[in-house]
């Protein structure tokens, strides 16, 4: 049998998925990783079982197409499962770096992940930022992502250095005043208001 006949007899297949690319490292502080783990445990062990219980109860009440509890519960379950998968990937990719860990030589005064940096902008105003993980950003506290344009501009600089901050509209020059490695306080995970952490349905 010729080759083209062999190929015709093979079953049709869907498109093959592209091989997974390299996992992007998720640099994060110990406290930030613990917060992700606490949320993951909460969703798996408390909120998801509670929502499953609500959905099962609502499904037993009859017509699902007009059952608001059932429809909302199914939608919420999809959101929870999506968040659980996201958290699992972030935790698996975590590269934990302690901002307070001792650093030797020039690394103690150069900007890397976990640094708290005081710098002066072009107008002479001083700013303080801490370089943290993507999941730890808090602009109100000056916590910026290590992948942000500002962090990229500051990386590897030392006190006294001038660096460029390249923004879409302009390029600004910043002067590094101080680089410090110290604990960066993180708020712990807190159960969100309105979370279905316990079954709230009554069974007859």
């Amino acid at each position: 049998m010729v080759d083209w006949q062999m190929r015709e007899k093979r079953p049709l297949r869907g498109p093959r998925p592209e091989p997974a690319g390299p996992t992007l490292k998720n640099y994060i502080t110990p406290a930030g990783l613990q917060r992700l783990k606490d949320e993951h445990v909460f969703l798996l062990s408390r909120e998801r079982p509670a929502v499953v219980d609500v959905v099962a109860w609502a499904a037993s009440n009859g017509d699902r197409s007009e059952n608001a509890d059932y429809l909302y519960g199914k939608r919420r379950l999809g959101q929870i499962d999506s968040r659980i998968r996201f958290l699992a990937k972030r935790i698996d990719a975590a590269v934990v770096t302690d901002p307070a860990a001792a650093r030797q030589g020039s690394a103690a005064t150069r900007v890397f992940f976990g640094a708290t940096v005081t710098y002066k902008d072009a107008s002479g105003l001083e700013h303080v930022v801490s370089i943290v993980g993507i999941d730890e950003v808090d602009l109100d506290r000056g916590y910026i992502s290590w992948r942000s344009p500002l962090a990229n501009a500051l990386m590897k600089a030392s006190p006294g250095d001038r660096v460029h901050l390249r923004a879409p509209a302009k390029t600004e020059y910043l002067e590094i005043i101080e680089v410090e490695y110290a604990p960066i306080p993180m708020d712990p995970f807190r159960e969100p208001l309105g979370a279905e952490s316990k079954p709230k349905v009554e069974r007859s």
Side-chain angles (χ1 to χ4, degrees), residues 39-40 43-44 48 74-90:
E39 182 183 357
H40 190 251
L43 292 174
L44 273 175
R48 191 182 193 284
K74 290 289 287 185
R75 185 166 62 250
R76 179 63 186 139
L77 198 56
Q79 294 169 346
I80 292 170
D81 287 343
S82 177
R83 181 66 178 171
I84 287 171
R85 289 192 297 271
F86 171 80
L87 290 170
K89 289 179 181 178
R90 302 298 292 161

Side-chain angles (χ1 to χ4, degrees), residues 21-181:
T23 302
L24 180 66
K25 291 181 179 178
N26 178 27
Y27 289 99
I28 193 167
T29 68
L33 178 60
Q34 188 59 53
R35 185 167 63 187
L36 294 185
K37 288 181 175 179
D38 289 346
E39 182 183 357
H40 190 251
V41 168
F42 168 76
L43 292 174
L44 273 175
S45 65
R46 294 183 59 194
E47 187 165 22
R48 191 182 193 284
V51 174
V52 167
D53 192 78
V54 171
V55 170
W57 169 81
S60 69
N61 288 335
D63 185 1
R64 298 178 184 182
S65 65
E66 297 183 2
N67 188 326
D69 287 329
Y70 177 81
L71 296 174
Y72 170 78
K74 290 289 287 185
R75 185 166 62 250
R76 179 63 186 139
L77 198 56
Q79 294 169 346
I80 292 170
D81 287 343
S82 177
R83 181 66 178 171
I84 287 171
R85 289 192 297 271
F86 171 80
L87 290 170
K89 289 179 181 178
R90 302 298 292 161
I91 292 168
D92 288 345
V95 177
V96 181
T97 302
D98 188 350
R103 287 161 172 79
Q104 302 300 319
S106 63
T109 56
R110 296 180 72 189
V111 179
F112 295 104
F113 180 92
T116 295
V117 185
T118 304
Y119 69 90
K120 189 182 295 184
D121 64 20
S123 62
L125 292 176
E126 287 193 3
H127 306 266
V128 179
V129 295
S130 296
I131 300 175
V132 298
I134 295 170
D135 304 297
E136 304 173 291
V137 171
D138 185 342
L139 298 182
D140 290 337
R141 301 171 77 175
Y143 296 176
I144 63 170
S145 163
W146 66 280
R147 299 185 66 196
S148 66
L150 177 55
N152 286 334
L154 298 174
M155 281 293 178
K156 299 184 180 180
S158 299
D161 289 349
R162 284 168 57 83
V163 301
H164 305 60
L165 172 58
R166 292 181 174 84
K170 62 177 180 178
T171 297
E172 185 176 2
Y173 291 90
L174 311 176
E175 181 183 353
I176 311 301
I177 305 299
E178 183 181 11
V179 178
E180 179 186 16
Y181 287 94

